[in-house]
Amino acid sequence: MLLMLLRRLLLGLVTVCIVSLIIFSGVEILPGDACTQYLGEYQADDELLSQCRKDLDLNRPAIERFGDWASGALKGDLGLAVDGKTKISTIVGDRLKNSLLLAVCAMFAGIPLALLLGIITGLWRDRMPDLIISTLAIFAMTVPEFVSATLLILVFSIWLGWLPGIVLTSAGAPAAEFFPEILLPVIVLSLVMCAHIMRMVRSSVIEVMASEYIQMATLKGVPYWQMVFSHALPNALLPAINVVALTIAWLLGGVVVIEVVFNYPGLGRLMIDSISDRDLPVVQSIALIVASIYVCVNLAADLLTMLANPKLRTMYMRK
């Protein structure tokens, strides 16, 4: 068990290293460098470009710069932005905190509701609760996020005046100052993630309830709700762990559309702004952070699935 855990951690670390190498190589392969992108390839003179490259230490071989960047990233130092003065860790830190706040609020609102609705629709398949909830879920899945976000702004902010339509709080403000501006983005994200997770749980519950061991329990006279809570749900909810993990990684990686529509100062919007400003060091750092989040969340989901599934746990212990 411990050996398997160490092996998965090592694989995750190797994955992050490969991703960081790909990100760095991709930035190096692009025409020009951070200085030509920042100052303008045709407008900046040679003196300015030379000074910028000296400030950003771009004259050294790429392999040396990658080594310094990777070792600095391990210590939490992502280097300087393209202006040569602002620390990337300072810029990204506030945005990551804001994306984390948005993700946590959406998870607390959406995941329990999705699990509950998935169980209800699975147990009452093809009945009225299933038809109504499944129809609403398909509607939430098919409507683009920017459309549902715009509709909510129109109804709750412009017509009713109950909630702010956009977020005006600065990126470095404390978490408490984002309320109530954060409520509409949380509602939109909860609707989208709830629909996807609910459909997954519904299918899993239907499959488990039709399995042979549930039919055998029914024939032996096991009370229905005891059978559901003791035997069906523990197995039906296992596949949902990976779906929830991917959803969490999607939320933590910055939900670009929602953050842009609501003017929310999160990681996704910083990525768009950095691309527009041609701030390649910041883009490179955000890509590494997002990749690390995906690796860590998927690793946690795999471990949780293995711990919750005796069959998988036994299989790994025998290896």
Side-chain angles (χ1 to χ4, degrees):
M1 183 79 176
L2 181 61
L3 184 62
M4 187 279 304
L5 179 61
L6 292 175
R7 188 170 58 186
R8 295 305 303 268
L9 286 174
L10 181 62
L11 285 175
L13 186 60
V14 170
T15 304
V16 172
C17 290
I18 293 173
V19 169
S20 65
L21 184 60
I22 293 173
I23 294 169
F24 190 88
S25 303
V27 172
E28 287 295 316
I29 291 172
L30 287 175
D33 54 24
C35 290
T36 55
Q37 298 294 323
Y38 178 62
L39 297 175
E41 188 173 359
Y42 302 106
Q43 288 81 4
D45 55 30
D46 293 339
E47 186 179 352
L48 278 175
L49 285 173
S50 176
Q51 184 61 41
C52 177
R53 285 171 180 143
K54 183 179 178 182
D55 293 340
L56 294 181
D57 209 13
L58 296 179
N59 293 321
R60 291 189 304 150
I63 188 68
E64 290 185 14
R65 285 185 282 119
F66 174 74
D68 290 344
W69 177 68
S71 61
L74 287 175
K75 300 172 186 172
D77 181 11
L78 298 171
L80 299 175
V82 76
D83 60 5
K85 300 175 183 176
T86 311
K87 283 190 172 183
I88 295 176
S89 55
T90 304
I91 304 173
V92 174
D94 288 334
R95 300 304 187 101
L96 184 60
K97 178 202 70 179
N98 296 337
S99 289
L100 185 63
L101 174 66
L102 183 62
V104 169
C105 293
M107 283 188 291
F108 274 104
I111 292 177
L113 181 62
L115 296 178
L116 177 63
L117 293 179
I119 293 170
I120 290 174
T121 52
L123 293 179
W124 281 276
R125 178 187 182 185
D126 295 334
R127 297 180 186 177
M128 190 56 69
D130 178 32
L131 297 176
I132 295 174
I133 297 172
S134 295
T135 303
L136 293 175
I138 292 174
F139 180 75
M141 291 169 66
T142 52
V143 174
E145 297 167 18
F146 66 89
V147 174
S148 54
T150 305
L151 288 175
L152 286 179
I153 291 174
L154 179 66
V155 173
F156 290 101
S157 179
I158 296 177
W159 288 353
L160 300 176
W162 290 352
L163 295 171
I166 59 172
V167 178
L168 298 176
T169 307
S170 63
E177 293 188 11
F178 283 93
F179 293 92
E181 295 175 342
I182 199 175
L183 290 180
L184 281 183
V186 167
I187 292 172
V188 176
L189 286 176
S190 300
L191 287 175
V192 176
M193 64 185 291
C194 181
H196 285 88
I197 297 175
M198 189 219 82
R199 296 290 300 174
M200 176 70 199
V201 174
R202 176 184 179 275
S203 300
S204 185
V205 169
I206 291 173
E207 183 180 350
V208 170
M209 291 300 292
S211 61
E212 293 181 353
Y213 73 93
I214 292 296
Q215 294 178 8
M216 179 60 70
T218 304
L219 292 174
K220 286 188 173 183
V222 177
Y224 180 76
W225 289 112
Q226 179 185 345
M227 180 182 63
V228 168
F229 286 107
S230 300
H231 303 290
L233 291 187
N235 293 301
L237 294 179
L238 282 177
I241 293 177
N242 287 314
V243 178
V244 171
L246 289 176
T247 305
I248 293 173
W250 169 64
L251 290 172
L252 293 178
V255 278
V256 176
V257 175
I258 298 300
E259 291 181 357
V260 171
V261 170
F262 288 102
N263 194 42
Y264 187 80
L267 205 58
R269 195 171 141 231
L270 176 63
M271 171 74 92
I272 296 298
D273 292 342
S274 300
I275 292 173
S276 300
D277 296 338
R278 301 177 178 180
D279 197 340
L280 296 181
V282 175
V283 175
Q284 182 177 299
S285 300
I286 294 175
L288 178 63
I289 291 172
V290 173
S292 302
I293 288 172
Y294 267 86
V295 169
C296 292
V297 172
N298 278 291
L299 176 62
D302 288 344
L303 293 176
L304 188 59
T305 303
M306 188 192 63
L307 291 174
N309 190 337
K311 185 178 179 181
L312 286 177
R313 191 167 61 245
T314 306
M315 182 180 70
Y316 276 110
M317 292 178 68
R318 286 177 178 173
K319 286 185 178 180

